[in-house]
Amino acid sequence: VQLQASGGGLVQPGGSLRLSCAASRTTLDTYVIGWYRQAPGKEREGVSCFSSSDGSTHYVNSVKGRFTTSRDNAKNEVYLQMNSLKPEDTAVYYCGAVRFRTCPRYGLGPQADYWGQGTLVTVSS
């Protein structure tokens, strides 16, 4: 299972970024895809979950209403659209694949079965 995350960068508070996680169609159809982040000095946390099997999603409370995860079937990518970014969103973001068919009600937590490389998101003026 191979995952490739991209799309990070520097953005001002209140701005937007879209992260992409590219994988094979089989991977996206078989696993739920999570986005995770790890800020300096902090533990990794699960940010979002997307299931292609049933369309379920989950977001950690701190990003609800600001972040949206979705899939582009034609491109075999899962996105994390991040709006109204805050300095506390600054972190290295990772996508991961988890052997679930649906997103758990409590979210994915910090674990995944397969990882993509990280992409740095910096929110600063």
Side-chain angles (χ1 to χ4, degrees):
V1 174
Q2 293 186 329
L3 305 161
Q4 185 161 359
S6 62
L10 173 64
V11 63
Q12 292 187 344
S16 298
L17 274 179
R18 189 180 76 169
L19 305 183
S20 300
C21 180
S24 71
R25 173 171 290 188
T26 299
T27 295
L28 298 184
D29 287 345
T30 304
Y31 302 93
V32 300
I33 302 299
W35 283 98
Y36 306 77
R37 65 186 180 186
Q38 187 164 19
K42 294 188 177 181
E43 295 185 351
R44 184 174 59 215
E45 67 170 342
V47 174
S48 69
C49 175
F50 179 85
S51 167
S52 295
S53 296
D54 62 6
S56 60
T57 58
H58 182 276
Y59 302 93
V60 69
N61 285 339
S62 59
V63 308
K64 283 181 180 177
R66 301 188 297 123
F67 290 10
T68 304
T69 186
S70 61
R71 172 178 172 177
D72 185 323
N73 291 327
K75 296 184 177 180
N76 290 330
E77 293 182 341
V78 171
Y79 303 119
L80 184 67
Q81 177 67 43
M82 305 185 294
N83 299 328
S84 302
L85 282 161
K86 305 175 181 180
E88 52 263 44
D89 294 317
T90 295
V92 177
Y93 284 72
Y94 303 86
C95 61
V98 185
R99 293 190 189 97
F100 290 151
R101 299 293 289 178
T102 188
C103 292
R105 289 182 298 171
Y106 49 83
L108 292 173
Q111 300 302 320
D113 295 301
Y114 303 96
W115 293 99
Q117 85 286 7
T119 184
L120 177 63
V121 172
T122 303
V123 184
S124 175
S125 55

